[in-house]
């Protein structure tokens, strides 16, 4: 360690570079299988440096992760395919870290980060989408009291067709108001009683699924947090989810605005004054969102995400829909073309992939997935701006007495 590191008790950028160099010497990327390299990186504490030692981290400041990432990218080291395992990285991992037992952390975090085990999120239900706390999937104690039996249906579950594990919320006490009778579990997607069915989208793909749970047995050791405290645990997941979707790091002219800007430069003959003015507004809005995301990540480095992430996710959805609509209009007949309606089962989400028609259709889901725009507007109004909450007549009523 450097003298400065010893004095502060925390790792600095220089020390992280030294540890990264040691990893590259012991596991040369060109001579090491990608999975072996990822395992070694996790064990060296260079997976997510702000996590505790022994769990893929070094208790270092989160802001220093970019130092490690840059060194490894320059050396040609393999990544862990974040697009494929985004739910595990962005939602399951921070929730397990905060609410999991030591045994749960040791069991789940390493294969989650390396991508050996994919995760999905069993939250949304057919009768409880925007009002997630109204969920009806039930979990009851099994005969000997060592576990739970779960029955219900989930929907809009990204990646369930490839997931090994799921984070799941289920109702464990219908006598309590809807937010207080929920418990949070880890569900084994390979267990008997778990059925995954593809849910075909407007794009022709089926990245989402319906998941039917029939008599699924979950050991109590796979409960996260206390019984009945699932809503509190879920808030951690949801806040991280919105940051993961809306606050992803982008370079200037990255993402959807980058695609639109390239189309503008490549087709001077299609330009009009009106389209130029609208593209400029979208470009400025995208840059404002990008810089706001940078500030949000700086705040995140000091603690857990707050409700501001809901504003970022809201801005992301609006911009994606506006820009993809602009692109289709700009391209004219070419923008209406569509390459293939074949049912696909993608391994990851690709908001900017394929052609303009795909991007336009896929963007429609941005205002639904990860919390609808209407729900996020309420969160921003109440928790960020401090405005009075909407009247809620069901706040103190038992869930079993609510009309459905």
């Amino acid at each position: 360690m450097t003298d400065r590191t010893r004095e502060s008790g925390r790792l600095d950028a220089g020390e992280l570079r030294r540890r990264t160099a040691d990893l590259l010497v012991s596991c040369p990327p060109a001579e090491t299988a990608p999975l072996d390299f990822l395992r070694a990186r996790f064990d060296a504490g260079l997976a997510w440096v702000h996590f505790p030692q022994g769990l893929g981290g070094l208790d270092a400041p989160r802001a220093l992760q970019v130092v490690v990432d840059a060194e490894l990218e320059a050396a040609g080291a393999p990544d862990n395919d974040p697009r494929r395992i985004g739910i595990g990285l962005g939602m399951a991992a921070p929730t397990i870290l905060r609410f999991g037992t030591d045994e749960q952390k040791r069991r789940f975090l390493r294969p989650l980060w390396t991508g050996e085990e994919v995760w999905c999120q069993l939250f949304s239900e057919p009768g409880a989408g925007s009002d997630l706390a109204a969920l009806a999937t039930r979990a009851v104690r099994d005969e000997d009291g060592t576990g739970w039996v779960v029955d219900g249906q989930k929907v809009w579950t990204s990646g369930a067709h490839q997931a090994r594990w799921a984070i799941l919320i289920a109702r464990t006490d219908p006598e309590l108001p809807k937010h207080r009778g929920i418990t949070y579990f880890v569900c084994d997607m390979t267990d008997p009683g778990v059925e995954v069915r593809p849910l075909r989208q407007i794009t022709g793909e089926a990245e989402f699924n319906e998941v039917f749970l029939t008599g699924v047995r979950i050991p109590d050791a796979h409960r996260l947090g206390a019984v009945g405290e699932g809503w509190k645990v879920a808030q951690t997941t949801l806040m991280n989810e919105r940051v993961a979707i809306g606050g992803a790091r982008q370079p200037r002219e990255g993402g959807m605005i980058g695609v639109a800007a390239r189309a503008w430069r490549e087709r001077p003959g299609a330009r009009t004054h009106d389209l130029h003015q609208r593209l400029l507004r979208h470009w400025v809005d995208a840059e404002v969102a990008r810089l706001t995301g940078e500030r949000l990540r700086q705040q995140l480095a000091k603690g857990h995400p707050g409700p501001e992430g809901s504003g970022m996710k809201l801005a992301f959805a609006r911009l994606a829909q506006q820009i993809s609509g602009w692109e289709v209009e700009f391209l004219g007949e070419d923008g209406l073309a569509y390459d293939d309606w074949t049912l696909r089962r993608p391994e990851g989400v690709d908001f900017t992939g394929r052609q303009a028609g795909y991007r336009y259709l896929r963007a429609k889901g941005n205002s639904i997935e990860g919390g609808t725009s209407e729900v996020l507007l309420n969160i921003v109004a109440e928790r960020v701006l401090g405005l009075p909450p909407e009247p809620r007549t069901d706040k103190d009523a038992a869930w079993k007495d609510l009309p459905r």
Side-chain angles (χ1 to χ4, degrees), residues 32-49:
T32 308
L35 182 56
D36 289 340
F37 183 89
L38 293 173
R39 288 170 174 167
R41 178 177 170 181
F42 185 94
D43 294 340
L46 299 172
W48 31 44
V49 299

Side-chain angles (χ1 to χ4, degrees), residues 87 91-92 95-96 119-125 132 135-140 148-155 157 165-172 182-189 191 193-194 211-219 222-226 229-231 233-234 237:
I87 292 175
M91 299 155 215
T95 309
I96 293 170
W119 287 65
C120 66
Q121 180 174 304
L122 298 177
F123 278 23
S124 296
E125 297 189 4
L132 180 60
L135 62 88
T137 292
R138 291 290 312 276
V140 298
W148 302 80
V149 180
V150 179
D151 290 277
Q153 179 187 352
K154 300 291 182 176
V155 73
T157 309
W165 297 100
I167 42 178
L168 162 74
I169 48 177
R171 187 160 304 283
T172 47
I182 296 171
T183 302
Y184 199 116
F185 300 96
V186 171
C187 175
D188 188 339
M189 294 294 288
D191 272 350
V194 179
V211 179
F212 296 83
L213 306 161
T214 307
V216 178
R217 293 185 174 274
I218 299 179
H222 283 184
R223 172 169 48 82
L224 281 180
E229 295 290 327
W231 188 249
V233 183
T237 306

Side-chain angles (χ1 to χ4, degrees), residues 209-268:
N209 302 272
E210 293 178 293
V211 179
F212 296 83
L213 306 161
T214 307
V216 178
R217 293 185 174 274
I218 299 179
D220 194 56
H222 283 184
R223 172 169 48 82
L224 281 180
V227 175
E229 295 290 327
W231 188 249
K232 176 182 176 183
V233 183
Q235 291 308 298
T236 293
T237 306
L238 294 172
M239 285 192 290
N240 279 283
E241 177 181 32
R242 286 152 194 169
V243 172
I245 295 176
R249 178 171 275 114
Q250 293 278 6
R252 177 174 285 184
E253 278 200 8
M256 199 74 83
I257 192 62
V259 175
R262 283 195 297 277
W264 177 264
R265 292 176 180 125
E266 293 168 357
R267 295 189 178 221

Side-chain angles (χ1 to χ4, degrees), residues 42 54-55 96 101-113 116-117 119 164-165 186 188 190 221-222:
F42 185 94
L55 298 175
I96 293 170
T101 63
D102 290 343
E103 175 57 29
Q104 289 169 342
K105 294 172 188 174
R106 284 192 297 270
R107 166 62 186 86
F108 294 124
L109 290 178
R110 188 174 188 254
L112 182 159
W113 188 86
E116 292 170 85
E117 293 179 344
W119 287 65
R164 171 66 171 80
W165 297 100
V186 171
D188 188 339
T190 66
H222 283 184

